[in-house]
Every structure is written in C-alpha cells, then in structure tokens.
C-alpha cells in the first residue's frame, strides 16, 4: 500500500492511536506492562505514518497492547477505537465478532 495520507484507514488508525497514547500518558496509575503498550503504540503510529502497515504486524501490536492495558478499564474506549481502526485493514480475525 502506498500513499498512506490518502487512505482513510491510515488516517483513522493514526487518530485512534494518538487518542490512546494521550489517555495512556495522562493515566495516573502504574502497571507492569505500560512500557510494552507505549512501545507498541509507537510502532503502530510509525507503521501508519509510513503508509504501508502490514496487517499481521498491526494485529500483533494490537494483541500486545490489549494484553498490556486490557485490565485498565479507563482505557477501554480508546483501546476499542484502535481495534476498530486495525479491523479496517482486514476485518475481524476469524472467530471474533
């Protein structure tokens, strides 16, 4: 995929990632896997900025982020937005719905 600036999926992904990064930065609580979530969000942003996100890598990052912050209910809405944005690149994984 080229021309990421013209792809609305890329725009949506970057927006969702930015919102979750801001909420995570503002979240006062510490948790063990916070660094993993921050690193994977940075990786998602870099892939989207490049305009050539690889679907398996997007899904891997999403899985790691969800595992890292999934128990922090305050971040659930933004995490769901990131998941929806990733799903725009290939729909839900088989068995999820």
């Amino acid at each position: 995929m080229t021309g990421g600036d013209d792809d609305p999926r890329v725009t949506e992904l970057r927006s969702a990632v930015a919102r979750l990064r801001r909420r995570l930065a503002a979240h006062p609580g510490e948790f063990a896997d916070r660094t993993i979530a921050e690193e994977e969000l940075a990786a998602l942003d870099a892939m989207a900025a490049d305009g050539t996100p690889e679907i398996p890598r997007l899904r891997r990052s999403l899985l790691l982020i969800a595992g890292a912050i999934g128990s922090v209910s305050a971040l659930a809405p933004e995490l769901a937005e990131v998941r929806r944005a990733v799903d725009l690149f290939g729909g839900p994984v088989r068995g999820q719905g």
Side-chain angles (χ1 to χ4, degrees):
M1 172 171 28
T2 60
D5 291 338
D6 299 328
D7 189 335
R9 299 174 304 170
V10 171
T11 302
E12 182 61 31
L13 179 60
R14 293 199 75 195
S15 295
V17 166
R19 284 188 292 276
L20 181 52
R21 288 177 91 179
R22 282 192 303 272
R23 283 287 305 219
L24 181 57
H27 185 70
E30 285 300 318
F31 47 94
D33 294 331
R34 185 182 196 120
T35 301
I36 292 169
E38 291 168 343
E39 290 172 355
E40 289 304 318
L41 284 166
L44 277 178
D45 189 50
M47 282 186 277
D50 186 37
T52 57
E54 299 173 20
I55 295 169
R57 179 67 175 106
L58 289 176
R59 294 211 174 277
R60 179 180 177 277
S61 288
L62 177 61
L63 180 62
L64 290 169
I65 293 164
I69 65 173
S71 65
V72 182
S73 60
L75 302 173
E78 288 81 8
L79 178 58
E81 287 180 29
V82 171
R83 179 181 177 195
R84 282 189 294 274
V86 168
D87 285 347
L88 293 174
F89 288 89
V93 175
R94 193 175 69 214
Q96 289 183 342

